[in-house]
Amino acid sequence: MVNLKITAHGGVNEIGGNQILLEQESKLFLDFGISFSTQKNFYEFPLLVPGSLTDLINTNLIPNLSGLYRNAGISPIYDKNNLFIDVSKKIEKEENYAGVLISHAHVDHYYFFTLLRDYIPIYLSSLSKRIIELKDETSYKNWRGDSSNINLNALDFSRDLILKEYTIKSFPVDHSLPGATAFLISINGTNIAYTGDMRFHGIRGETTRTFKNYLMNHDIDVLISEGTKLKPEKTKNDDPYTDSKNILNSEQEVKEKFINLVNNEKNLVIYDASYYDFDRLKTIWKATIECGRILILPSKQAYFVNKFMSEDYGKDFPDLKTVKILLNSNKGRINQREKDILESQGLDNIYFESWKKYRKTWEKELMNLILNSDQLIWKPALGEILDDPDKYVVFVVDGARFLKDLKKSTNNIIGTYIYGKAEAFDIEGELKFYKLKQWVNLCKLKFKYAHSSGHLSEEELARFIDDISPKILIPVHTEAPERFKKILGNTSINIKLLEKKKTYQFNL
Ligand SMILES: [Zn+2]
């Protein structure tokens, strides 16, 4: 018999913020992400943001546990003239942590792992590790630090990982970004499975089926399962953005619908996808070539793809030579020569872009690598796209911003805007979507959808759980945990709904 304690420090009754602590002899965290809802309850970018570990603990964004954080117990010392002179260190003693397993590279699953102390090993797939490293390399840094400050261990899928009393099998699964992983954790023959986020209908759906089959062939004591697509009953049908008729059933259907929309458009096509959904990028890129058009790719996505090219995951992307690359906006400090030009015209300052100067290192690296400079498009020349609108598909990740820039270049935009992102699941998401629609209307573009979800549908989830038949089911990553009871109907599975931060003891 195994006595296991489980505490969800985040990730229950909400989508995201997974921080699930297993405790037996030692402690093991499943994910260590940021809770969007808690963050939004207390903070607002850019003026009200957490600035220290204490802020994060006080607002429940991270658990208040000793021995966990690298800068805990350190505070500045000032002298009588209020000058900072030293730091006091009350280093907390090390606790018995076996490690942290990260399911995938979405921030709601990993964001706060940079705060953890070095003696706590962190494991994740090599692709998740790579995506997080590239994200950090191409983003602004803050006091939280990034993956370059910590040791990340890449999982070896071909063998068990032993962390103290936990024997861990890792399974690649399909999700809306590559590298997602599910886990089966065994303690003396007691099995705990954790899904992370997953789906069957992506281009790597087979991997999720392999995970499921493995679980079906073993006795699963506890299944900790995501339930993103389960919605509280009252809001199920009254939200136009979650209307299921806009969501397709597979990536293949996304491709077919996209090709159809492109073939019916004689002018510009814009496709709006999530930042790190590189499988979708691959689909849209290949389909764009099939349609005889050229894909215009944001420089950040092109930079990632170029890095992936030399690695296993990048092998079946089309050649980077087939795209045009849209450079970031780049406003630099004004120098004397530029100041003189402006002054000679009687001007103080105007906004203008700088082609190369002040560009970020990663973007310069990409620009140097592209031998044919015709491949590069920068914001002042954006209007050129519209000289031959039927030649291109523009791939965007921040659609409203792109339309703002495009509108600056020309007044006359004709074309189709295809939305390929997850449906909004909260009020902020809806507001963002509303603003995007305003820009689409301002540009007089047709608005269409071509998207399939990153998660299991309600029916798939019910079937998945039923087929595995765990003794205990713990819903996470869902706003409607009580709905699991409804979708599973008359079942012998003990569905255990956890309260956030409350510790539950299981005798398994
Ligand atoms: Zn996810």
Side-chain angles (χ1 to χ4, degrees), residues 104 106 108-109 175 197 455:
H104 63 287
H106 278 148
D108 55 332
H109 293 260
H175 181 40
D197 288 354
H455 302 273

Side-chain angles (χ1 to χ4, degrees), residues 15 103-109 175-177 180 196-198 226 228 454-455 477:
I15 294 175
S103 65
H104 63 287
H106 278 148
V107 288
D108 55 332
H109 293 260
H175 181 40
S176 54
L177 94 171
D197 288 354
M198 63 182 205
E226 71 128 317
T228 315
H455 302 273
H477 206 273

Side-chain angles (χ1 to χ4, degrees), residues 99-129:
V100 178
L101 304 177
I102 299 292
S103 65
H104 63 287
H106 278 148
V107 288
D108 55 332
H109 293 260
Y110 79 86
Y111 191 73
F112 289 124
F113 70 2
T114 53
L115 304 171
L116 300 172
R117 280 169 69 176
D118 286 340
Y119 77 91
I120 305 169
I122 303 168
Y123 285 86
L124 72 180
S125 72
S126 57
L127 192 48
S128 295
K129 179 171 181 280

Side-chain angles (χ1 to χ4, degrees), residues 258 261-262 265 267-273 284 293 295-296 385-386 389 392-400 402-403 406 413-420 436 440 443 445-446 448:
F258 171 80
L261 289 167
V262 175
E265 177 57 68
N267 283 285
L268 191 64
V269 175
I270 299 166
Y271 186 87
D272 184 355
I284 296 300
R293 292 195 183 215
L295 192 72
I296 298 178
I385 297 172
L386 297 166
Y392 301 111
V393 169
V394 190
F395 187 92
V396 298
V397 288
D398 190 346
F402 174 76
L403 292 179
L406 190 64
I413 310 168
I414 307 168
T416 301
Y417 191 98
I418 308 173
Y419 192 66
L436 171 68
V440 170
C443 294
L445 293 164
K446 283 168 260 168
K448 302 283 178 192

